[in-house]
Amino acid sequence: MSESNPKSPLIKSKLPDFKQSVKLKYVKLGYHYLITHAMFLFLSPLVAIIAVHLSAFSLQDLHDLWHHLRYNLVSVIICSALLVFLLTLYFLTCARPVYLVDFSCYKPEDARKCTRQMFMDRSSSTGTFTEGSLEFQRKILERSGLGESTYLPEAVLRVPPNPSMAEARKEAEAVMFGAIDELLEKTKVKPKDIGILIVNCSLFNPTPSLSAMVINHYKLRGNVLSFNLGGMGCSAGLISIDLANDLLQVHPNSYALVISMENITLNWYFGNDKSMLLSNCLFRMGGAAILLSNRRSDKRRSKYQLVHTVRTNKGADDKCFSCVTQKEDSTGSVGVSLSKDLMAVAGDALKTNITTLGPLVLPMSEQLLFFATLVARKLLKMKVKPYIPDFKLAFEHFCIHAGGRAVLDELEKNLQLTDWHMEPSRMTLYRFGNTSSSSLWFELAYTEAKGRVRKGHRLWQIAFGSGFKCNSAVWKALRKVNPTNEKNPWIDEIDQFPVDVPKFSAI
């Protein structure tokens, strides 16, 4: 934004109205995903009919059938061939179930806590920010929805700050190893049992890689499949889940360890470009470790089963591609610039992702209403009000990336969600800030700590990030999660939440 026009908004704070422009091609894409599972839809009634007939068979009927087949070679060959064909078809097209055994979120020590006033004091003490920049950061914080107990790494809190490679590695090790240690303790899985390792961190990509640091620290086996995802923004956590799901389809009896995090130390901005100062105000220290399994024996002890992943990428559009960019400002200071078009881009990506996901998860009644109004508007050119499906009928719980207050407000309005549905996202933003790709897991941990998860409940995780990408993951709870048996960052203080978060809170 130009300094000559201080009254113009840095980022437009409204998402586009989803009701006004639903594109038919994304609906078709959602139904395409649904049709890829058509084999199961067609075979299910056949299996049910066969089961009903077999249940009516008596022992005499089975004896007569066996006696008939015993002396009829042609019938035996045909039945055997059909059975072999159907079984082969089933195993070739059937996806392996992927279970979320457990997950853990890293909660930094109390010495890393940073109140909003402390944030302003540290920013002022650096001597690099102008009075205008300090006032801008103050105004952002007062409207951000962040509370007084978020966390920043030691190198940023120190006076003067000490952003160095050694400090960045120190932060990465604390976050990754802290989350993994707790996860291994909870699941009783040995490091040598892990066959797939995926680490995502957008802005910090050292050599050796973060995944190599994990392998070295835990002495993982030599044939572990390791991946290090960088530069993919806050949506990278669900990209990692999708990648792990694909790998678990072709590597039987495997555990996949996914680590989602961001690194603050080397990415703190010390310049005065307002579009780059936003990340200082919102991003905080945090990370999560997730253990996935395709072992059927793990189903009984796992918390969730992965049902769907839907990924949307708008990177082919120049405006979408450049709306979140790491670059130098006019003085050479490196930071992440957020374009004023960010909300519009995010809204378009969210709308595409949601429209694609709808046919996979919505009940038939909602799909028929949506499809009927879409046909009336797009094909018959009728002036009817678009119908936005009620996603509350498809999911019991929502984990929406806690990227900022404005996005949460707009999503609540567009998806017609209640305060209860938005509570995990708002409380995560308040208590931990924007922890990038790991925020979804802090939100799920909040839901568990509140004792809200029951067997059969459906959970929707949705995140967006640079590129521009929007990704969704749908989970089904395999059992009730008892908070008294849980160890997560909310347990010791969950009785204090929810709290009222005013739209403006003076520092």
Side-chain angles (χ1 to χ4, degrees), residues 200 202 233-235 261-262 283-284 286 401-402 433-440 463:
N200 67 264
S202 186
C234 301
S235 66
M261 59 171 290
E262 192 50 83
F283 281 89
R284 294 295 183 266
H401 169 54
N434 181 348
T435 59
S436 190
S437 58
S438 68
S439 69
L440 298 174

Side-chain angles (χ1 to χ4, degrees), residues 129-387:
F129 299 115
T130 64
E131 287 299 321
S133 294
L134 290 172
E135 184 60 24
F136 173 77
Q137 292 179 77
R138 178 186 298 276
K139 289 180 178 179
I140 293 296
L141 277 177
E142 290 175 337
R143 296 165 176 80
S144 66
L146 271 67
E148 302 291 353
S149 300
T150 58
Y151 301 94
L152 284 173
E154 181 182 357
V156 174
L157 291 177
R158 186 179 300 161
V159 180
N162 180 32
S164 64
M165 177 62 74
E167 289 294 328
R169 286 183 177 274
K170 183 178 176 181
E171 179 193 349
E173 290 172 355
V175 173
M176 291 193 302
F177 301 161
I180 296 173
D181 287 346
E182 182 178 302
L183 180 63
L184 296 180
E185 181 183 350
K186 291 165 71 172
T187 60
K188 308 303 180 187
V189 170
K190 299 178 181 178
K192 292 290 185 183
D193 293 332
I194 296 170
I196 299 167
L197 171 66
I198 303 172
V199 180
N200 67 264
C201 182
S202 186
L203 295 175
F204 181 56
N205 293 284
T207 300
S209 66
L210 296 173
S211 59
M213 291 165 62
V214 174
I215 292 172
N216 177 262
H217 183 80
Y218 291 96
K219 309 304 178 187
L220 301 187
R221 65 197 200 201
N223 63 344
V224 64
L225 301 175
S226 67
F227 300 84
N228 200 93
L229 306 183
M232 305 192 81
C234 301
S235 66
L238 295 186
I239 294 175
S240 297
I241 294 295
D242 184 61
L243 174 59
N245 179 43
D246 289 343
L247 292 168
L248 289 170
Q249 298 305 314
V250 294
H251 295 280
N253 299 314
S254 297
Y255 284 116
L257 175 61
V258 175
I259 303 158
S260 292
M261 59 171 290
E262 192 50 83
N263 192 279
I264 305 294
T265 299
L266 280 182
N267 297 290
W268 200 253
Y269 176 61
F270 291 97
N272 291 284
D273 188 315
K274 291 182 180 179
S275 69
M276 298 184 180
L277 285 171
L278 285 168
S279 58
N280 284 13
C281 299
L282 298 176
F283 281 89
R284 294 295 183 266
M285 187 178 181
I290 305 98
L291 185 68
L292 303 175
S293 171
N294 60 10
R295 302 185 182 192
R296 293 190 182 273
S297 59
D298 281 323
K299 181 176 182 179
R300 297 190 64 175
R301 73 180 185 124
S302 296
K303 287 183 173 180
Y304 307 94
Q305 181 173 341
L306 184 61
V307 181
H308 299 294
T309 56
V310 174
R311 292 172 56 179
T312 299
N313 197 315
K314 295 285 188 176
D317 182 277
D318 290 342
K319 184 171 71 172
C320 297
F321 172 77
S322 59
C323 69
V324 180
T325 309
Q326 186 180 27
K327 62 182 183 180
E328 297 96 349
D329 64 11
S330 58
T331 65
S333 296
V334 177
V336 176
S337 174
L338 306 181
S339 163
K340 65 180 180 180
D341 297 320
L342 176 59
M343 291 293 285
V345 168
D348 185 52
L350 283 164
K351 181 178 62 180
T352 302
N353 189 270
I354 290 169
T355 307
T356 306
L357 180 69
L360 300 175
V361 299
L362 288 168
M364 188 56 66
S365 60
E366 290 294 297
Q367 294 198 45
L368 289 175
L369 285 170
F370 173 77
F371 190 72
T373 56
L374 187 66
V375 169
R377 295 181 71 247
K378 298 293 184 180
L379 300 182
L380 304 180
K381 305 301 181 182
M382 297 173 62
K383 294 182 178 180
V384 296
K385 186 178 180 180
Y387 179 75

Side-chain angles (χ1 to χ4, degrees), residues 57-116:
F57 270 40
S58 64
L59 290 176
Q60 183 62 41
D61 293 332
L62 292 173
H63 181 270
D64 293 342
L65 179 63
W66 167 250
H67 184 75
H68 173 73
L69 292 176
R70 184 177 180 184
Y71 299 104
N72 192 331
L73 182 60
V74 175
S75 297
V76 171
I77 292 174
I78 292 175
C79 290
S80 300
L82 180 62
L83 181 62
V84 170
F85 172 76
L86 291 176
L87 288 174
T88 302
L89 189 64
Y90 173 78
F91 285 111
L92 287 176
T93 58
C94 179
R96 297 180 189 272
V98 172
Y99 307 113
L100 193 163
V101 181
D102 213 330
F103 68 96
S104 63
C105 300
Y106 175 69
K107 185 177 184 179
E109 57 191 10
D110 287 344
R112 304 281 78 78
K113 279 188 178 180
C114 178
T115 66
R116 295 182 303 157

Side-chain angles (χ1 to χ4, degrees), residues 5-18:
N5 189 15
K7 293 184 180 180
S8 64
L10 189 67
I11 294 179
K12 297 177 182 178
S13 60
K14 285 188 178 295
L15 293 177
D17 190 347
F18 291 178

Side-chain angles (χ1 to χ4, degrees), residues 46-59 61-62 65:
L46 178 62
V47 172
I49 293 171
I50 294 173
V52 169
H53 280 286
L54 289 178
S55 65
F57 270 40
S58 64
L59 290 176
D61 293 332
L62 292 173
L65 179 63

